[in-house]
Amino acid sequence: MHGFSYKNGSLFCENIDLSTLVAEHGTPLYVYSAGTILDHYTRLDAALGSTDHEVAYAVKANSNLSVLRLLASHGAGFDIVSGGELFRVIKAGGDPAHCTFAGVGKTRDEIVYALQQGIYSFNVESEEELRYLNQVAGELGMIAPAAVRVNPNVDAKTHKYISTGKSENKFGVDFGAISDLYERAAKELKNIKLRGLQMHIGSQLTSIAPFIEAVEKVIPLVTELKARHGIEFWSIGGGIGIIYQESLKSGNADWWASQPENERPLTIEQYGKELVPRLKDLGLKILLEPGRYIVGNAGVLLTKCLYEKKGSAKTFKIVDAGMNDLIRPALYEGHHEIVPLVEPSSTERIKVDVVGPICESGDFFCQDRLLPDFNPGDYIALMSAGAYGFAMASNYNSRPLPAEILVEGGNATVIRKRQTLEDLIEGEH
Ligand code: LLP
């Protein structure tokens, strides 16, 4: 569920008419619903029930300071992948002691910074990295808390660029090699405290089966590591998928209720119901690293139609947002539902490509999609753009980054101002 819906013919975010925001702030414009972010965070937290657990929000999905502050103030921990993300979390009032640090290529500077800030755990992706972490911690006279990422070799059945839990992916250490690695580390690496085990099989998983398969496969391993090395946590990663295809309808509880039981997309309640019985008696703190589930449906990218171009083969609607603002369609063939800010009065649909101004054929938001007609000057929303939207935006084609707005009930706050042309060349000579 989320905070975007038509009210009296206009698309709203919570109690704010999005047309008023584009009039005031221009486009392209990212808008987030604080209520949706908190609702998702709270529902995930509740789905884990009384199991000892912590939600460590994956900062990479949306790292705006105000989003981080909102989550920090409601007790979230954070999963970070760079020194930059740790810096953001600290600036937003997050507690480093509730941060885990993932990623296959941590630099010395990042390791030193994270050690000095006292993070909860380095989630280590190779023996080489674990040995380097031990060395750096030794030089600083510190003990580094660590968990190794196990690669359980489970097929997440998601896009190949966001699937991470198979042996051919660069992530983690082979399932069969973990036990010996922990033995060696316990004997040889005196500046490492083995604190947990981590896994993450992929992103945008829309069925529960791969989660169950991975959890069941790793339970004997994690139980052994607890007995032998006294580890205290198991991070089962993120990856919970969201609705992209019927994003607008999925904001409504009645829509969920109307979905046939066996076809219903993965719900957070199902996630909890299936996983909690398997996890609750392990005597381990369970960490979750959701990114997309928390913020994905909580954000939209608003853009204005500039031109309509009728080619011999296609009709193009050219808008003022481009792949530099939202790269998911170009990079992963990601589907974002497109809806006009003014509710269409007819059910007529036309087949169009909605494209941006960037000089690349991959710069499209949809191809050959049936949409309600809209004209130059009209505004549309690209739904479900709250995760990996602004966070992956770039200045490609020397386009200033869009502004970001956070809506809380009837209040809309600019949480990142639109870049200016001067911002574009800052630091250059
Ligand atoms: N934990 C680890 C170790 C990860 O690598 C990721 C995502 C997460 C947690 C959070 O996953 P989530 O809950 O958001 O699925 N840019 C792509 C997604 C890349 C995901 C990278 N890792 C997209 O737009 O679909």
Side-chain angles (χ1 to χ4, degrees), residues 56 58 60-61 79 81 102-103 123 125 149 161-162 164 171 198-200 202-205 235 237-241 244 289-294 327-328 331-332 387-389 392:
K60 62 169 85 72
D79 183 56
V81 288
N123 291 344
E125 304 247 7
R149 175 169 178 175
Y161 286 4
I162 51 175
T164 54
F171 299 99
Q198 197 268 349
M199 71 179 195
H200 172 78
S203 199
Q204 182 54 16
L205 274 68
S235 172
I240 303 158
Y244 282 106
E289 304 167 4
R292 191 188 318 263
Y293 169 72
I294 304 283
I327 202 172
R328 302 195 66 264
L331 197 56
Y332 319 107
Y388 308 108
M392 295 180 81

Side-chain angles (χ1 to χ4, degrees), residues 183-201:
E183 288 297 318
R184 278 197 299 284
K187 279 204 200 88
E188 298 169 24
L189 307 181
K190 299 299 173 215
N191 292 85
I192 296 287
K193 173 183 163 60
L194 292 168
R195 183 167 251 179
L197 183 76
Q198 197 268 349
M199 71 179 195
H200 172 78
I201 56 174

Side-chain angles (χ1 to χ4, degrees), residues 96-100 118-123 130 143-148 182 192-198 225-226 229-235 284-285 287:
H98 290 264
C99 283
T100 50
I119 66 162
Y120 180 63
S121 177
F122 289 85
N123 291 344
L130 193 61
I143 302 290
V148 176
Y182 275 64
I192 296 287
K193 173 183 163 60
L194 292 168
R195 183 167 251 179
L197 183 76
Q198 197 268 349
L225 296 177
K226 181 175 178 253
H229 305 289
I231 65 165
E232 66 191 44
F233 81 89
W234 179 16
S235 172
L284 289 162
K285 178 185 211 134
L287 257 59

Side-chain angles (χ1 to χ4, degrees), residues 308 310 315-317 346-354 366-375:
E308 179 181 84
K310 282 195 168 39
T315 298
F316 297 98
K317 303 278 188 184
S346 96
T347 53
E348 200 182 316
R349 298 289 178 265
I350 58 161
K351 197 189 269 188
V352 291
D353 283 21
V354 177
C366 70
Q367 291 180 305
D368 295 323
R369 197 184 293 175
L370 289 170
L371 291 181
D373 200 8
F374 56 89
N375 297 308

Side-chain angles (χ1 to χ4, degrees), residues 400-417:
L401 291 171
E404 293 174 286
I405 306 266
L406 186 67
V407 171
E408 297 176 271
N411 291 325
T413 312
V414 178
I415 57 170
R416 191 185 212 277
K417 66 181 178 56

